[in-house]
Amino acid sequence: MPEAIPCYPFERSRYLGSVSRVTPLGVRVNFPFATEVAPSQYAGHRVTRGQVGEFVVIESYGSAIIGRITEIQLPDRDRLSVEPERNEGEELANPIGTIRLLGSVDLNSSLSSRGIGEAPRVGDYVYLAHPDFVRYAIVTTQGTRDGLVDLGHLSGAPETRIALPPISIFGRHCAVLGSTGGGKSWSTARLVEEVARRKGKVILLDPTGEYQTLDEEGVVHVHLGGGRDGAEDKRNFVSFPYHHLTEMDLFAFLQPSPGVQAPKLRDAIQSLKLTFLEPGLAEPGSSRLIKRFKEKRPINTALVKHDKALHAPSARFDIEDLVLQVFNECVHPQGADGHWGDRHPQSYDSCVTLCMRIATHLKSAHLAPVFAPPAYMTDLTEVITRFIDDPGTSVLRVSMRYLAFEHHTRELVVNAIGRYLLGQARNGKFQKTPLVVAIDEAHQFLSKSVGDDNNRILLDAFGLIAKEGRKYGLNCLLATQRPRDIPEDVLSQIGMFVVHRLINERDQAVVINASGILDATTAAFLPSLRDGEALIVGADSIMPLPIMMTAPRHRPRLEQDVERTWMNP
């Protein structure tokens, strides 16, 4: 049952005017008091007489039609009547305005709807909507406030708090959008803090390290990349070892040519995986598989025996032997009596440049978290497993501040992390305890192609999470300042948008198309939103809800640093 309507919607003290024209999308209204200089107060609430952006209710038969003022103007004949220097008796201004119709509340059943049951009529009265009535009409909350996620207060009404059930926010994923400085990071941090407060589970992928100030109970911080600055450095550094990457991921790193290098690299990786499963096939003292003049039958038998394990995700192999194993693959395929032949000089020479790239990658300090992690670095997948199984932790923040940009390392690793999480979800890992994976600067990691023309890979892991993760208990929180770079098929899976200031028209158009609720008229308010103010779109609401987001308890680091720089030069 819906909760009772909190207040009478048609209070005489909130009267604005009457309808003078009706269209399918909106109405024109006389606003006789719109030129009053100062708003009045009634029952502790600010009461204006008609301002752009205000919510209104139209008194209709059996229902309250909700709308928003989008324009107020004076007819041409009256435009000079508001000039203070003009004094021509008692001539009064006659403002008129346009109201965009958004939905309605049936006063008999107390149910809100996006539809308009009966269109307004000329002469219907228009009232300034009470903030509590707006909250009720847009989001009818169920249960106790302790189980809700507190977001902030209705814009212009600090006393009207907005709190939503978690299922409304993360049930079909959530996106936090906004230009730089609009409050995107604040809202992301606030949502993460609220998940921690409710003892939920969230993994926060932090590309810039700005969320290092999160200091709630149950928050774990790890650093992917970088390294310790001496023995006194107690930070928790983690790695994402190469064996969690797919073959195509490795090809995007190593860029083998398609003629000879790609097949030899593929064979070399398979051989090293095979010797990890059957060490007896390897050259003594290493994991390398010698093929020159060797019999094929034992190796082929082992390949058939371990076929499933060889193609399993995260199948292990020793990458330190990869260079020599590539050269070991450069033999004639046919020798005598079911053996491989002698070394093949042409393929051997063709693979020299590939092996040089492999050796360079293995020695690179920037790529050490992937190809040569130090002993003190823990495998990130092990950290994630412990985090999921530990009821005392709620947030795992993975800082990628020190992870290299070279060779598309960030994009490939983040995509692999998403693929790993989706694999765990498909195995039922998150059915009992749902997981939210939050990713900042999401436009960098979704549906981009990386690698050269011959080894191109699509970063589709988080797109797949958005499309199918919900049914496995894996939800995502995407934060970005460039909505236009997020694929529309991903945005179409988002159930709730927190839209901060957006100035770019292409960004606005993408949100309009994806949300299904926001229209061009409402989107016109986006460029003028204040810092921290946002439109909540979705969340089972009948229309976009403007709210002032509550600041997080711990401000993101980058904003603090900028403030200190300017305040203390």
Side-chain angles (χ1 to χ4, degrees), residues 77-113:
R77 66 177 183 275
D78 295 335
R79 59 188 175 84
L80 294 178
S81 62
V82 293
E83 290 296 327
E85 300 299 326
R86 193 170 183 269
N87 185 11
E88 295 187 6
E90 298 296 326
E91 183 178 358
L92 298 176
N94 297 285
I96 57 175
T98 303
I99 294 175
R100 176 75 164 86
L101 301 182
L102 301 172
S104 62
V105 176
D106 189 306
L107 299 181
N108 296 317
S109 63
S110 300
L111 295 177
S112 58
S113 169

Side-chain angles (χ1 to χ4, degrees), residues 87-270:
N87 185 11
E88 295 187 6
E90 298 296 326
E91 183 178 358
L92 298 176
N94 297 285
I96 57 175
T98 303
I99 294 175
R100 176 75 164 86
L101 301 182
L102 301 172
S104 62
V105 176
D106 189 306
L107 299 181
N108 296 317
S109 63
S110 300
L111 295 177
S112 58
S113 169
R114 293 180 186 173
I116 308 296
E118 184 174 338
R121 297 166 297 176
V122 172
D124 282 348
Y125 291 167
V126 180
Y127 300 85
L128 180 68
H130 193 288
D132 290 340
F133 184 78
V134 173
R135 178 196 60 79
Y136 170 85
I138 296 176
V139 181
T140 301
T141 58
Q142 303 285 343
T144 63
R145 182 163 292 274
D146 290 339
L148 304 179
V149 176
D150 184 78
L151 296 179
H153 64 77
L154 190 67
S155 294
E159 68 282 356
T160 304
R161 304 296 302 176
I162 303 298
L164 302 176
I167 190 66
S168 296
I169 302 175
F170 301 115
R172 279 191 58 224
H173 313 300
C174 178
V176 181
L177 314 175
S179 303
T180 301
K184 170 179 63 69
S185 298
W186 276 37
S187 294
T188 302
R190 177 67 182 178
L191 290 172
V192 171
E193 287 178 349
E194 285 295 295
V195 172
R197 183 179 66 84
R198 300 187 71 259
K199 306 300 181 184
K201 291 283 186 181
V202 57
I203 294 177
L204 172 60
L205 301 181
D206 182 5
T208 60
E210 66 179 315
Y211 298 98
Q212 68 173 7
T213 55
L214 283 174
D215 194 23
E216 300 292 313
E217 182 181 355
V219 176
V220 177
H221 298 267
V222 298
H223 299 267
L224 180 57
R228 287 181 176 169
D229 297 329
E232 299 299 322
D233 191 347
K234 301 301 182 182
R235 290 177 296 175
N236 189 1
F237 288 91
V238 297
S239 64
F240 196 81
Y242 57 88
H243 58 264
H244 296 307
L245 303 177
T246 65
E247 180 181 281
M248 290 307 300
D249 292 335
L250 291 172
F251 276 35
F253 269 116
L254 303 175
Q255 301 179 17
S257 62
V260 175
Q261 293 180 357
K264 296 305 180 184
L265 178 59
R266 184 174 293 110
D267 290 344
I269 293 173
Q270 179 177 258

Side-chain angles (χ1 to χ4, degrees), residues 316-330:
R316 291 179 175 270
F317 66 99
D318 189 350
I319 200 169
E320 292 184 357
D321 285 331
L322 185 58
V323 170
L324 294 178
Q325 186 59 46
V326 169
F327 287 133
N328 285 344
E329 302 294 335
C330 297

Side-chain angles (χ1 to χ4, degrees), residues 339-361:
H339 289 64
W340 275 282
D342 199 356
R343 191 178 76 176
H344 192 283
Q346 290 80 11
S347 61
Y348 189 96
D349 293 342
S350 297
C351 289
V352 170
T353 54
L354 168 64
C355 291
M356 292 175 63
R357 283 196 297 275
I358 296 173
T360 300
H361 280 56

Side-chain angles (χ1 to χ4, degrees), residues 347-390:
S347 61
Y348 189 96
D349 293 342
S350 297
C351 289
V352 170
T353 54
L354 168 64
C355 291
M356 292 175 63
R357 283 196 297 275
I358 296 173
T360 300
H361 280 56
L362 296 183
K363 295 177 181 178
S364 171
H366 298 297
L367 299 178
V370 177
F371 293 111
Y376 60 78
M377 283 189 175
T378 309
D379 188 332
L380 178 58
T381 62
E382 297 177 7
V383 174
I384 291 175
T385 299
R386 291 198 298 267
F387 166 73
I388 297 299
D389 295 336
D390 184 2

